[in-house]
C-alpha cells in the first residue's frame, strides 16, 4: 500500500557527502527540501579513508566553501591533523589535507542539517521514481510513502545494487554492511538510463594498542595549521600524528602465493576499479619490480582505537589479510578489527547528464557523486553542491549555474564527466586541469565567492569581508610597485637571502619577483601600514611572482571562451551535417554539446569535424535569421 507522505520542492536521495551538500544548498536557497537516507546514523559517513583534501581534492573543498557549502567548515571543526602538502613545489599544486575524527565529522554534519531551516531529514529507502510526461514529480519509498517534489537529486554513492566481495565470500550490501539499494537501480533502467558497474575498496582497520610505532616513521601535522574554510580563523583542535611504514618482501610473497584466491584475478569481480587507487594485490602484480610500497597508519578519531591502514585496500580473504598485515614492519602482532573488502555498485553513465547535472532523459532529475562514476568524498561533495543549487534554481525558474573549466576544479570534473564520460571510477588530479595556475588552493574565494553570493549562499557580511580582502591585496601590490628601495637599505637583506645586490634604487615589487625573496623579507625593509593578514600577504606574493604565467593562461582562457560562447542549438540533427566523420556524428548526437568548446573536448571529435561544424552553424544561423525576418 502506498500513501501520500508529503510535498516538497526538492528531494535529495542519499545523505553521503554529495547528498549533504545538495540538501543544504537547496534549503539555504529557500526551497523546502527533503533529505532521505537509508540510515540516519550514516549521515556524512566516511566508509573509506578518514580524511578530507589532498592534491586537487583539497582545491575542491575550498571551492565548495567559496560557493557557500559545508564540507570545509565541517572538517575545520572536526580535524585531528592538518597538513599542507607539496610545499616544496609551486602554488598550483599546494594542497591541504586533513585527518578527520570520522565520528565527530558525521555528528557535526548531521547536527548542521537538523538545524537548517527548510530542510527535513528523514530515514527511508527510495525505491521508485514517479515520472509524468518526461518529468520527475516524486518518489516512492520501501514503506509505500509517496513524496512529491518538483526536483529530485539522486546521490546514492555505492549503495545501488551494492555487493561486498572478500575472497570467496560475496553478499549484497552497501558500504560497512549497510542495506543496499536494489529497486532504485531497476527504476533507473526502466526509465532508459544506461548503467555501468564499478568497484571500489577499503583496507582493514587495526587496533592501536597492537601496533609497534617504534618501527614506523611519525608524520605530524603542521605547527601552524591552515584551514579549508575562509570563515575559520583559528582552532584549538588537538592534532594526532599519522605513521609511515612499508610493505616487505614477505608481504609480496603472501600476496603472490594467494593470487588464486584474489577476486581481482579469479574473475569474481565484474566491476571496473579505480585506476589511481588500486588494491594492494593489484599494485604488487602491476609494479612487480618495486620492492616495497608505502603504508600510512591513520587514526580514525580521538575516542576510538581503530587505525586505518592507508595503501592496503584489498579484497583478499580474511586469513590472507591478517597474514599481509603481520608481514609489515610495526604490525607483526597487530589485531585486525575490521576486514578490508571490495564493493561493486551501479553507476549512471555520466554522458547522459547536462553540465548542470540534470539528466537528459528526465526533466527535473539530477544525479551527483559516486552514482556519476566518480570516487572520493570531495568529488562527490563538489557535484553535490552544484546539483543542489541547480535543483533549487529549476524550482525557482532560474537558469542553471555552470562552473567552467577556467573557474574551478569542480568545473573540470563535471565537464570531463558529461563530455568524455569515464571508463573507471573518476578521480580528480591536478593534471586534469589545463589552467591549474589559475585554479590554486589559495584563490578559490577570488574565483567563486561572487558566484556563491549571487546564488544566495554567501552572506552579505562574508561577501563584504571578501571584497575588503580583494581590495587590500590590490592596495598592497600597488604599494610594492611604488615603493623605491635604495641599494644600501636592501643590501643586508639580500646578502642574508643569498640574493645578488642591486646597483640602483629598485621598486619593492621587482625585488619580490626574485624566486629567493619572500614578502616577509621585503617587509623587513619596506613595512606596510595596511591591515594585512598572512593570507593576504601570500596572495599578493603569488600574484606578483607568477604574473607572467597567470597572464599567459588568462589569454588561453579568453581564446577558449570564444569557443564556449559559440552555442549549438538544441535542434541540430548531426546526421544531416555533411562532411562530419561517422564517429563524430554519433558522439555529438549522444552527448548533444551546448557549445563548440564542449564539442571540441568530446573524444572522437577531431579539429576537422569542428571546422565543418562551425561552417554548418554559420549557414544554419543565417537560414534561421532569414526565416525570423
Amino acid at each position: 500500500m502506498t500513501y501520500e507522505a508529503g510535498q516538497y520542492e526538492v528531494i535529495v536521495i542519499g545523505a553521503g557527502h554529495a547528498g549533504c551538500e545538495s540538501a543544504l544548498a537547496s534549503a539555504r536557497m529557500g526551497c523546502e527540501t527533503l533529505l532521505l537516507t537509508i540510515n540516519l546514523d550514516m549521515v556524512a559517513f566516511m566508509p573509506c579513508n578518514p580524511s578530507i583534501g589532498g592534491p586537487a581534492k583539497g582545491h575542491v573543498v575550498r571551492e565548495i566553501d567559496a560557493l557557500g557549502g559545508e564540507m570545509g567548515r565541517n572538517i575545520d571543526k572536526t580535524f585531528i591533523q592538518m597538513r599542507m602538502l607539496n610545499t616544496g613545489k609551486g602554488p598550483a599544486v599546494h594542497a591541504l589535507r586533513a585527518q578527520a575524527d570520522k565520528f565527530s565529522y558525521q555528528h557535526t554534519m548531521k547536527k548542521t542539517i537538523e538545524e537548517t531551516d527548510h530542510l527535513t531529514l528523514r530515514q527511508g529507502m527510495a525505491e521508485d521514481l514517479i515520472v509524468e510526461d518526461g518529468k520527475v514529480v516524486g518518489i516512492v519509498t520501501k514503506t509505500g510513502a509517496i513524496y512529491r517534489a518538483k526536483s529530485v537529486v539522486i546521490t546514492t554513492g555505492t549503495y545501488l545494487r551494492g555487493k561486498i566481495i572478500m575472497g570467496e565470500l560475496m553478499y549484497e550490501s552497501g558500504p560497512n554492511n549497510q542495506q543496499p539499494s536494489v529497486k532504485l537501480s531497476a527504476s533507473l533502467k526502466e526509465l532508459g538510463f544506461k548503467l555501468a558497474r564499478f568497484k571500489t575498496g577499503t583496507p582493514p582497520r587495526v587496533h592501536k594498542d597492537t601496533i609497534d610505532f617504534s618501527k614506523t616513521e611519525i608524520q605530524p601535522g603542521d605547527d601552524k595549521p591552515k584551514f579549508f574554510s575562509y570563515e575559520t580563523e583559528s582552532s584549538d583542535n588537538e592534532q594526532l600524528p599519522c605513521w609511515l611504514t612499508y610493505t616487505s618482501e614477505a608481504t609480496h610473497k603472501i600476496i603472490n602465493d594467494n593470487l588464486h584466491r584474489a577476486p581481482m584475478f579469479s574473475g569474481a569481480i565484474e566491476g571496473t576499479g579505480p585506476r589511481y587507487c588500486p588494491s594492494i594485490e593489484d599494485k604488487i602484480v602491476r609494479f612487480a619490480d618495486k620492492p616495497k610500497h608505502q603504508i600510512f597508519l591513520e587514526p580514525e578519531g580521538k575516542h576510538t582505537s581503530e587505525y586505518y591502514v592507508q595503501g592496503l585496500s584489498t579484497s583478499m580473504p580474511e586469513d590472507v589479510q591478517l597474514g599481509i598485515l603481520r608481514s609489515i614492519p610495526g604490525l607483526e602482532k597487530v589485531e585486525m578489527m575490521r576486514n578490508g573488502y571490495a564493493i561493486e555498485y551501479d553507476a549512471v553513465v555520466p554522458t547522459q547528464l547536462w553540465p548542470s547535472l540534470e539528466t537528459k532523459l528526465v526533466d527535473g532529475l539530477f544525479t551527483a557523486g559516486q552514482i556519476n562514476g566518480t570516487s572520493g568524498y570531495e568529488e562527490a561533495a563538489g557535484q553535490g553542491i552544484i546539483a543542489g543549487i541547480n535543483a533549487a534554481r529549476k524550482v525557482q525558474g532560474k537558469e542553471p549555474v555552470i562552473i567552467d573549466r577556467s573557474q574551478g576544479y569542480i568545473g573540470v570534473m563535471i565537464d570531463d564527466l558529461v563530455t568524455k564520460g569515464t571508463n573507471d571510477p573518476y578521480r580528480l588530479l591536478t593534471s586534469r586541469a589545463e589552467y591549474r595556475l589559475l585554479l590554486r588552493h589559495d584563490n578559490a574565494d577570488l574565483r567563486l565567492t561572487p558566484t556563491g553570493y549571487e546564488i544566495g549562499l554567501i552572506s552579505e557580511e562574508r561577501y563584504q569581508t571578501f571584497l575588503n580582502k580583494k581590495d587590500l591585496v590590490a592596495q598592497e601590490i600597488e604599494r610594492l610597485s611604488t615603493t623605491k628601495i635604495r641599494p644600501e637599505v636592501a643590501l643586508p637583506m639580500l646578502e642574508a637571502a643569498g640574493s645578488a645586490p642591486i646597483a640602483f634604487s629598485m621598486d619593492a615589487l621587482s625585488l619580490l619577483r626574485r624566486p629567493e625573496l619572500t614578502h616577509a623579507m621585503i617587509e623587513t625593509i619596506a613595512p606596510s601600514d595596511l591591515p594585512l593578514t598572512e593570507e593576504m600577504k601570500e596572495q599578493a606574493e603569488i600574484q606578483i611572482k607568477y604574473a607572467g604565467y597567470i597572464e599567459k593562461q588568462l589569454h588561453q582562457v579568453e581564446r577558449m571562451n570564444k569557443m564556449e560562447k559559440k552555442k549549438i542549438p538544441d535542434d541540430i540533427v548531426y546526421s544531416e551535417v555533411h562532411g562530419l566523420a561517422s564517429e563524430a556524428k554519433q558522439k555529438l548526437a549522444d552527448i548533444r554539446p551546448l557549445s563548440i568548446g564542449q564539442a571540441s573536448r568530446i573524444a572522437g571529435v577531431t579539429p576537422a569535424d569542428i571546422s565543418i561544424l562551425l561552417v554548418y552553424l554559420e549557414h544554419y544561423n543565417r537560414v534561421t535569421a532569414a526565416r525570423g525576418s
Side-chain angles (χ1 to χ4, degrees), residues 484-601:
K484 295 291 181 185
I485 297 176
R486 299 193 308 276
E488 63 273 20
V489 172
L491 188 61
M493 183 271 289
L494 294 173
E495 282 183 345
S499 192
I502 55 175
F504 306 98
S505 289
M506 183 181 281
D507 64 78
L509 186 145
S510 297
L511 269 180
L512 185 51
R513 284 199 176 119
R514 293 187 177 189
E516 65 275 14
L517 300 185
T518 65
H519 187 278
M521 293 174 184
I522 299 294
E523 271 198 308
T524 61
I525 56 172
S528 174
D529 57 3
L530 293 168
L532 299 170
T533 63
E534 289 304 312
E535 195 175 45
M536 292 173 192
K537 293 173 185 177
E538 178 193 40
Q539 187 58 232
E541 182 175 332
I542 289 171
Q543 288 189 28
I544 289 166
K545 282 189 182 295
Y546 295 90
Y549 299 105
I550 290 169
E551 190 176 351
K552 188 176 177 183
Q553 289 217 332
L554 286 170
H555 285 313
Q556 292 171 349
V557 170
E558 201 176 321
R559 284 198 299 273
M560 181 48 75
N561 280 345
K562 289 177 183 174
M563 300 276 275
E564 299 295 341
K565 284 175 183 171
K566 292 183 188 293
K567 299 299 179 187
I568 300 175
D570 291 343
D571 55 354
I572 292 287
V573 181
Y574 292 102
S575 59
E576 295 176 1
V577 182
H578 298 298
L580 280 180
S582 298
E583 184 182 4
K585 287 179 180 179
Q586 181 193 329
K587 292 285 181 69
L588 289 164
D590 283 348
I591 293 168
R592 290 152 64 198
L594 300 177
S595 67
I596 288 292
Q598 188 186 358
S600 70
R601 294 188 293 274

Side-chain angles (χ1 to χ4, degrees), residues 80-84 219-225 239-242:
I80 52 176
Q81 186 188 107
M82 195 73 81
R83 194 173 184 185
M84 184 67 79
Q219 304 283 304
D222 293 338
D223 291 336
K224 289 185 178 178
Q239 296 203 63
L240 301 180
C242 296

Side-chain angles (χ1 to χ4, degrees), residues 156-213:
T156 46
T158 59
Y159 282 78
L160 277 188
R161 277 205 317 127
K163 183 202 281 185
I164 296 281
I165 303 167
M166 193 195 315
E168 299 86 2
L169 178 66
M170 284 183 280
Y171 56 94
E172 283 193 348
S173 175
N176 210 43
N177 288 322
Q178 293 298 301
Q179 289 184 71
S181 175
V182 178
K183 290 192 176 177
L184 187 59
S185 190
S187 179
L188 288 168
K189 271 190 173 176
E190 283 170 22
L191 288 167
F193 284 96
K194 287 182 273 187
L195 303 181
R197 192 74 172 159
F198 281 169
K199 178 217 81 143
T200 188
T202 191
R205 272 62 157 185
V206 298
H207 198 292
K208 173 188 176 181
D209 295 345
T210 62
I211 299 170
D212 183 353
F213 290 107

Side-chain angles (χ1 to χ4, degrees), residues 407-459:
Q407 284 182 291
Y409 274 92
I410 292 174
V412 171
M413 167 178 61
I414 292 174
D415 183 67
D416 280 351
L417 290 170
V418 304
T419 304
K420 302 171 184 175
T422 184
N423 295 321
D424 50 71
Y426 177 97
R427 179 180 180 175
L428 258 175
L429 307 165
T430 51
S431 59
R432 294 191 191 272
E434 58 271 49
Y435 309 121
R436 52 188 172 275
L437 192 53
L438 301 181
L439 309 182
R440 304 184 309 276
H441 173 272
D442 62 88
N443 71 347
D445 60 336
L446 297 174
R447 293 183 274 119
L448 292 171
T449 298
T451 303
Y453 177 67
E454 185 186 334
I455 293 163
L457 293 177
I458 295 290
S459 69

